[in-house]
Amino acid sequence: MKNQSFVILLLAALSTAVVSCNKSGKSKSIAGDGQLHGVAPAARSSMTRPLGMSYIPPGTFHMGPSDEDVNYNFTARNKQVSISGFWMDKTEITNNEYRRFVYWVRDSLAAVRLGFMKTGTGGDTAIDWKRAASIKWGDKGTLEKLNDLILTPDNRLYGKMDIDPDMIVYNVQGFNLKEAAKRENAGRARKDFIYRYNQKVYPDTLCWMRDFSYSYNEPMTKRYFAHPSFGEYPVVGVNWKQANAFCHWRTHYLNSYLEGHKKAPESDFRLPSEAEWEYAARGGRTQSMFPWGNYYLRNKKGCLLANFKPGRGNYPEDGGFYTVRADSYWPNDFGLYNMAGNVSEWTNSLFYEGSYNFQHDMNPDVQWNALDTDPPSMKRKVIRGGSWKDVGFYLQTSTRQYEYQDTTKSYIGFRCVIDLPAQYRK
C-alpha cells in the first residue's frame, strides 16, 4: 500500500510539474489541460539579417542559352527548372574578408602552441580568444616561440621572421550526408560518415604570373593580397577546395557566436550550385542574355556595363585593367554585383557536358567530391560569370566553363550562399 501511495503521489506531482518555456522565456504549464502542446527548441531566438547578403526568392526559370549556341558546344540545353529560396553574398568574397579567415587560422594555430586554451563546462577544451587576440606578431620573442610556423632561416630575406604560408592550415570536419542517405548505408554508425582533412588556406599569389606567359604581372603578385588598396577587391588565387574551406569556417564562425549567445545555430554556408548561380545572376529576367537584360554590353550612353575584355583587348576601357572593386557597376534586380565580369566564380557543381539531360527539374545539381587519385575529368568544377580577361560571350548568364578543383587562377573567385528563411529580410 505504501508503494502504491507513493506512485499515486509521484504521478500527481508530475502532472502539475511538467512545464515549458513560452516566447518570453517564462515557465508555462503544458500538461495541466491534458492536451498536446508543441515544444520549441531550447534556443531562445535566431540570428538577424545576414550581413552583406541578398535574399533570392524561390522561382522558376529557363536554365540554359537565351541566345544561339554560337560555339555549338551543346553543353547547356535550355530547360525549365525551379529553385527554392536562399541568401547570396551581394559581392564576391573580398581580400579583406578572406584575410579574416587566414588570420583566424593563423591565430588559432599560434594559440594552441602558446597554450592559450580554456576548459569548458563539459570538460572540452577550446581556444581562449581573448588571450589569442593579444598575440604580438611583430614581437621577436613571440615569433621565436612559434618557430615551427615561421619561415626557416634559409627562406628569409634580410633575416625577417615571417609566417610560412604553407603552415596556415585549416582542419575541415563534417558529415558526408549523401553517403549517409543511401539506403544501403542505413543503420551504419555515425562515425562512418565523418570526414576530416587539413587544407592550406593562403591564396596562391604567384597565379598572376603563371596565368599569362611573357607578360609583366609581378606587381600584382606582390601587392594584390598584401596591400590595403586592394582590400575591397575580389580575392583570387583560391582553388575550389580553399573556397569550400572558407564556407566551412564561416559556418563555424557564425554558429560559435550564436550558440555562445544561446541562439539557434543556422544552416551551412556553401558554394552555390550551378543552377542557383544562374538563377541568381538572371535577377528574375528568365530569358535575358545578361544580368542587366538584352542584348548589349553597353548602356544607351555607350558606357560598358561590366569588367571584361572589350573589343580585341582594350582592357582599361571599362574602368579596370585587371579586377575592380567587388561592388563596382550597377547590381542586378536581386541586388547582386558583378554577376557578369570582374572574376569568374566557383560553383559546387561537377562539370559534365551532358548533365542537363538527366538533372531533376527541382533544385538541379550534380556533385562529386573528387579525391586526389580520381581522374582529371572528375575534378572539373563549373565556373560561371566570365572575368576581367574574358570576351563578352563569357559574360552571358548561361555560358558554362570549368576549371579543375585543385588549380588557382588570377581570374577566379567565389561568393557564398546560405539556406535561411525569407523572414530574415526584416
Side-chain angles (χ1 to χ4, degrees), residues 302-324:
C303 300
L304 290 165
L305 296 169
N307 179 25
F308 66 110
K309 181 182 177 180
R312 298 194 177 188
N314 189 356
Y315 290 96
E317 184 183 2
D318 53 37
F321 194 96
Y322 297 102
T323 58
V324 294

Side-chain angles (χ1 to χ4, degrees), residues 21 26 35 132 174-175 254 259 265 281 316 320 335 355 374 396-397 404:
C21 293
K26 296 180 180 179
Q35 304 297 320
F175 291 100
L254 171 64
E259 291 174 343
S355 62
D374 285 338
Q396 295 186 46
T397 52
Y404 297 98

Side-chain angles (χ1 to χ4, degrees), residues 16-30:
T16 57
V18 178
V19 296
S20 177
C21 293
N22 58 20
K23 292 182 179 179
S24 65
K26 296 180 180 179
S27 297
K28 176 183 177 181
S29 174
I30 65 172

Side-chain angles (χ1 to χ4, degrees), residues 2 22 33 46 49 58 66 73 80 88 93 96 118 133 170 194 209 217 244 250 294 297 327 350 363 367 379 416:
K2 291 183 178 180
N22 58 20
D33 58 2
S46 56
R49 179 190 179 104
S66 300
N73 287 327
Q80 179 175 290
M88 189 178 220
I93 296 299
N96 281 347
K118 61 181 180 180
Y170 178 72
I194 294 177
M209 298 169 60
N217 297 298
N244 270 286
R250 190 175 178 183
N294 288 322
L297 296 167
D327 57 356
L350 170 74
N363 290 327
Q367 296 184 27
K379 298 179 181 179
C416 304

Side-chain angles (χ1 to χ4, degrees), residues 79-317:
K79 62 180 296 185
Q80 179 175 290
V81 300
S82 297
I83 303 294
S84 57
F86 59 94
W87 289 79
M88 189 178 220
D89 284 322
K90 293 180 180 179
T91 69
E92 300 112 347
I93 296 299
T94 65
N95 283 322
N96 281 347
E97 290 171 333
Y98 193 83
R99 190 176 294 110
R100 170 61 66 89
F101 173 41
V102 173
Y103 283 0
W104 187 95
V105 176
R106 178 201 66 180
D107 292 349
S108 64
L109 293 172
V112 171
R113 285 160 174 78
L114 295 173
F116 293 170
M117 308 295 291
K118 61 181 180 180
T119 303
T121 55
D124 56 329
T125 58
I127 293 173
D128 186 345
W129 282 105
K130 289 184 179 180
R131 299 180 66 190
S134 65
I135 297 176
K136 298 179 180 179
W137 287 102
D139 180 59
K140 185 177 180 180
T142 300
L143 295 177
E144 288 177 347
K145 296 178 182 178
L146 303 173
N147 189 56
D148 61 330
L149 297 179
I150 308 300
L151 289 169
T152 57
D154 56 331
N155 284 309
R156 301 173 189 171
L157 287 176
Y158 302 104
K160 187 177 180 181
M161 300 173 68
D162 285 325
I163 296 290
D164 185 352
D166 287 338
M167 296 302 297
I168 304 179
V169 177
Y170 178 72
N171 182 253
V172 180
Q173 300 184 32
F175 291 100
N176 189 337
L177 296 179
K178 284 190 175 293
E179 282 296 313
K182 292 180 179 179
R183 296 183 187 278
E184 61 268 26
N185 290 330
R188 290 178 57 182
R190 189 170 185 258
K191 63 181 179 61
D192 294 340
F193 306 106
I194 294 177
Y195 59 82
R196 297 182 179 91
Y197 63 91
N198 291 327
Q199 177 62 53
K200 295 179 181 179
V201 301
Y202 200 86
D204 177 17
T205 57
L206 292 172
C207 65
W208 287 100
M209 298 169 60
R210 189 184 304 112
D211 289 342
F212 309 100
S213 300
Y214 307 106
S215 177
Y216 176 67
N217 297 298
E218 281 84 340
M220 299 300 283
T221 286
K222 294 180 179 179
R223 297 186 302 169
Y224 188 75
F225 188 67
H227 198 279
S229 296
F230 294 99
E232 298 303 323
Y233 285 54
V235 67
V236 297
V238 174
N239 64 32
W240 183 84
K241 292 182 177 180
Q242 291 173 313
N244 270 286
F246 177 90
C247 293
H248 184 277
W249 165 80
R250 190 175 178 183
T251 302
H252 173 74
Y253 191 65
L254 171 64
N255 285 338
S256 294
Y257 170 83
L258 293 176
E259 291 174 343
H261 289 75
K262 297 183 179 180
K263 295 184 177 183
E266 289 295 349
S267 180
D268 293 347
F269 288 99
R270 56 184 176 83
L271 296 178
S273 69
E274 179 181 12
E276 288 174 331
W277 193 98
E278 182 174 330
Y279 175 63
R282 290 180 180 275
R285 301 169 183 262
T286 183
Q287 296 286 7
S288 297
M289 293 170 59
F290 302 102
W292 51 82
N294 288 322
Y295 293 89
Y296 308 106
L297 296 167
R298 299 176 185 268
N299 61 18
K300 62 183 179 181
K301 295 182 179 180
C303 300
L304 290 165
L305 296 169
N307 179 25
F308 66 110
K309 181 182 177 180
R312 298 194 177 188
N314 189 356
Y315 290 96
E317 184 183 2

